[in-house]
Amino acid sequence: MRWLKFGTLIIIFLLAVYAVSMTFVAESKSFTVEKEINYPVDKVFPQFNNLQNFSRWSGFFARNKNLTFDFFTPYEGQGSSMSYHDKKNEDVFGDLFIRYENPNKTLRYQLFEGRNRNPYLIDLKFIPENGKTRVIWYVHTPKQPFLKRSLNLISEDDINQNIESGMITLFNILGNKVNKEQARENLKFDSLMVEEKEGQLLLGVNVNSKNTKDALFKNIVMNQNKTLNFITMDLGKREDEYGEPVLITNANNFKDKEVSYYYGIPLSKRIGVSDNNFTFRTVNASRNYVIYYRGSYSGRISAIQQLLQQAKKDTMRTGDLQQTFLEEPAVESNTVMKLSLPVYR
């Protein structure tokens, strides 16, 4: 009994010490984090004002593999928003909003965590400096009730760590993007070439579509978004873990009223997929006749005919045409792709 009284006194004493110490801790906290990234602001800013991009590399979200996301129009810039939740922990969820945007200069995020209706306010300032970008984070944490103010003692370190890890990931992502862009600048468009292509493993969907200009391209864009969202959101793949989308179809079906095609995105290895709408497809290594094409999607037909004519002239058998989108399909009048026709003796 004496030990019980003594234990109770100890607990009361510790609670009293904690309560007194909390009077010296502010109910919220404001601090600044400054980072520099070795890429120009026009490359960096779209990674922040597009929340689909932001969720893929940000240390606030990317390190939790169990998070799933929902994005809401307009998808980027002021007024865009997303919600997230943990598939295995129902207590982990929240919403992120972009409340203000001055393109390439400033952004304001508002982040609600869980059931806390007091948000984080995060203002971002982007300062271009000799091809680099200085990103300044002004962070204001939510007001905490008196007994939870101790959270403010660790919030700054956690947020600093999240920002640091996220900026490292962003640097790697932008490096891959810039390398691809530089390689594309050296491409020779509209000239027929011969390439030896390695095999690929694709994950994607089998599709039937009407073969009219608007209907076909809208169908491709829809399946691009569907496949990319599955790979990045459901499977949690980052941008450096998958390749450029490939559409595989019969080379002659551009004449038909309806077309069948497979639309897939390259992955490095086969993994378990529970959604039956998506299937793997192996593309074998082959010798290909290739044309790099830039222009309207409907205008690709002349390039396809050129490939078929060359194969006929060389008395080669042909496989399915592979259309690799070097830029994600978005606007019918402006596509950049690699048309590859496997050829055999």
Side-chain angles (χ1 to χ4, degrees), residues 240-269:
D240 57 353
E241 295 180 297
Y242 58 87
E244 292 160 329
V246 182
L247 186 155
I248 301 176
T249 187
N250 185 296
N252 289 291
N253 74 357
F254 61 83
K255 306 172 185 176
D256 302 333
K257 292 182 179 180
E258 291 191 0
V259 297
S260 298
Y261 66 87
Y262 176 87
Y263 193 93
I265 292 178
L267 296 179
S268 58
K269 61 182 179 181

Side-chain angles (χ1 to χ4, degrees), residues 151-166:
L151 295 174
N152 287 332
L153 298 174
I154 58 174
S155 61
E156 183 172 352
D157 288 339
D158 284 347
I159 292 172
N160 262 299
Q161 183 180 351
N162 285 334
I163 291 174
E164 177 69 25
S165 64

